[in-house]
């Protein structure tokens, strides 16, 4: 079960990253203090958070809508798929929120733990 959970979570992350547009430039530098050695060097910008705020809001909306639907629906035929969608949206939302936490917190608590 543990390996299946890790595999499906990793697959979800890869899928979401492929679906969301990325504007991160992949410029790396071997020398961390490169701006002091070259006077014309521009400082390297910090990369944006791993998931967009709009994705977090969309997942939160799906999570809230399916939660309300489950509360109102009761014991009906569509309960299973709605539960599945609710738990999927909840897990992905919490992972995205965990991945956007400060780096110091992510060193202590891995984003997978938050989901």
């Amino acid at each position: 079960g543990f390996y299946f959970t890790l595999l499906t979570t990793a697959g979800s992350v890869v899928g979401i990253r492929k679906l969301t547009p990325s504007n991160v430039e992949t410029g790396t530098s071997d020398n961390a203090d490169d701006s002091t050695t070259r006077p014309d060097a521009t400082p390297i910008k910090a990369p944006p958070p791993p998931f967009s705020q709009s994705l977090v809001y969309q997942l939160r909306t799906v999570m809230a809508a399916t939660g309300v639907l489950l509360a109102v629906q009761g014991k009906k035929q569509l309960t299973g798929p709605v539960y599945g969608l609710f738990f999927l949206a909840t897990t992905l939302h919490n992972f995205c929120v965990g991945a956007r936490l400060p780096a110091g917190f992510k060193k202590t608590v891995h984003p997978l733990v938050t989901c």
Side-chain angles (χ1 to χ4, degrees), residues 3-4 6 16 20 31 33 40 53 71 77 84 87 92 97 109:
Y3 294 112
F4 179 76
L6 287 178
I16 289 173
T20 56
N31 188 359
D33 198 13
D40 63 336
Q53 190 65 30
Q77 187 176 5
F87 287 128
L92 292 176
V97 168
V109 180

Side-chain angles (χ1 to χ4, degrees), residues 29 31-44:
S29 174
N31 188 359
D33 198 13
D34 200 20
S35 62
T36 60
T37 58
R38 296 183 319 169
D40 63 336
T42 58
I44 298 174

Side-chain angles (χ1 to χ4, degrees), residues 18-91:
K18 285 183 180 181
L19 290 175
T20 56
S22 176
N23 58 359
V24 178
E25 295 179 12
T26 58
T28 59
S29 174
D30 292 336
N31 188 359
D33 198 13
D34 200 20
S35 62
T36 60
T37 58
R38 296 183 319 169
D40 63 336
T42 58
I44 298 174
K45 296 179 187 175
F51 299 101
S52 68
Q53 190 65 30
S54 65
L55 176 66
V56 173
Y57 287 144
Q58 290 169 355
L59 288 170
R60 189 177 301 153
T61 302
V62 171
M63 183 176 63
T66 54
V68 168
L69 184 62
L70 284 171
V72 172
Q73 180 174 306
K75 297 265 184 190
K76 302 249 172 125
Q77 187 176 5
L78 292 176
T79 303
V82 176
Y83 268 120
L85 184 58
F86 172 74
F87 287 128
L88 177 66
T90 302
T91 302

